[in-house]
Amino acid sequence: MNMRDEIKNAFDSVHAPDELAERLKQELYQKDCHEEIEEICIVEEAPRRRIGHYAAYIAAALALCIGCGFSIWSLRDNTTPLNPSTTVPVMTTAAEETTETTSDEELHAAEAEVYQQMLAAHAMEQSRQTVTKTS
């Protein structure tokens, strides 16, 4: 015999007295008759779990992680080291002369000099960029 049957057999012989049963029936009947003493008991359904909300939160977190990972991955390829010891080439321009040039040859010579300075500065910039790319 299992424990459940033993407990059932032990309590089968226990009964409430007839007077108590009649008195409880009368009290319950009187409570039903008096509707103004109505006990308020509100039972509400528990809110259902919304799996869609959890899925939306997971999708948003995943999209955020993928976006951050992609931006970090793309920044990894575009690294440019800082070289504070290098100097920046200064573009020199020809100062305007206050005196008028008298011949066309002097004017062409001044323009050629400015052009040569610009070419030299451009070549220096190009060589500097190739050095930073290779290192």
Side-chain angles (χ1 to χ4, degrees):
M1 197 184 289
N2 63 12
M3 184 67 90
R4 182 181 177 114
D5 291 335
E6 288 180 23
I7 293 172
K8 188 176 181 182
N9 288 337
F11 283 100
D12 277 345
S13 61
V14 177
H15 292 287
D18 291 336
E19 296 173 5
L20 179 62
E22 286 299 319
R23 187 175 54 135
L24 285 174
K25 287 179 184 176
Q26 288 294 327
E27 287 178 12
L28 290 173
Y29 178 72
Q30 288 176 359
K31 281 187 178 179
D32 287 341
C33 290
H34 301 294
E35 291 181 8
E36 63 228 22
I37 309 174
E38 193 174 306
E39 292 183 26
I40 299 174
C41 181
I42 299 173
V43 178
E44 294 180 2
E45 283 188 34
R48 299 181 70 186
R49 291 187 182 182
R50 296 183 179 135
I51 296 174
H53 286 214
Y54 295 123
Y57 296 143
I58 291 170
L62 187 62
L64 184 64
C65 290
I66 289 172
C68 289
F70 180 73
S71 65
I72 289 171
W73 187 267
S74 66
L75 286 176
R76 196 182 89 175
D77 296 335
N78 296 331
T79 58
T80 54
L82 294 175
N83 296 326
S85 62
T86 60
T87 59
V88 178
V90 178
M91 296 285 291
T92 57
T93 59
E96 293 182 19
E97 297 180 17
T98 55
T99 60
E100 293 183 19
T101 55
T102 55
S103 68
D104 288 334
E105 291 178 6
E106 291 177 1
L107 182 62
H108 288 296
E111 288 176 354
E113 184 181 341
V114 170
Y115 182 71
Q116 289 297 325
Q117 288 177 353
M118 289 174 54
L119 284 177
H122 182 69
M124 185 184 301
E125 181 67 28
Q126 288 293 333
S127 65
R128 191 166 139 277
Q129 286 179 356
T130 57
V131 167
T132 57
K133 286 183 182 178
T134 58
S135 59

